[in-house]
Amino acid sequence: MMLTHLTTQISPDTRWPGRLQALLAEYPDIPRKPMGFPDDWQERLEALKAAKTP
C-alpha cells in the first residue's frame, strides 16, 4: 500500500495500482501474506483510489 501511495503522489495519473491489482487477480493462488500485503489490501487500494478521485 505504501508503494501505491508513493507512486500516485509522484505521478497522479499512474496506472500502476490498477495493473498490480489485475496481475494479482490473474494469479489468485499466490499467497499475498509473504509479500507483505495486509488482509484488507483490496479495500485499502479502493480507498486510495477513491481519495484520488475529485
Side-chain angles (χ1 to χ4, degrees):
M1 303 292 61
M2 182 56 72
L3 287 176
T4 298
H5 174 73
L6 292 174
T7 303
T8 55
Q9 292 299 307
I10 293 167
S11 179
D13 296 327
T14 186
R15 297 180 325 191
W16 183 82
R19 290 173 46 216
L20 176 63
Q21 192 172 21
L23 180 66
L24 293 173
E26 190 174 338
Y27 299 97
D29 295 335
I30 295 176
R32 307 312 192 243
K33 209 54 144 164
M35 291 188 277
F37 283 81
D39 291 334
D40 63 344
W41 71 271
Q42 290 176 308
E43 291 83 12
R44 291 184 188 199
L45 183 61
E46 291 303 321
L48 285 172
K49 285 182 189 178
K52 179 183 156 189
T53 305

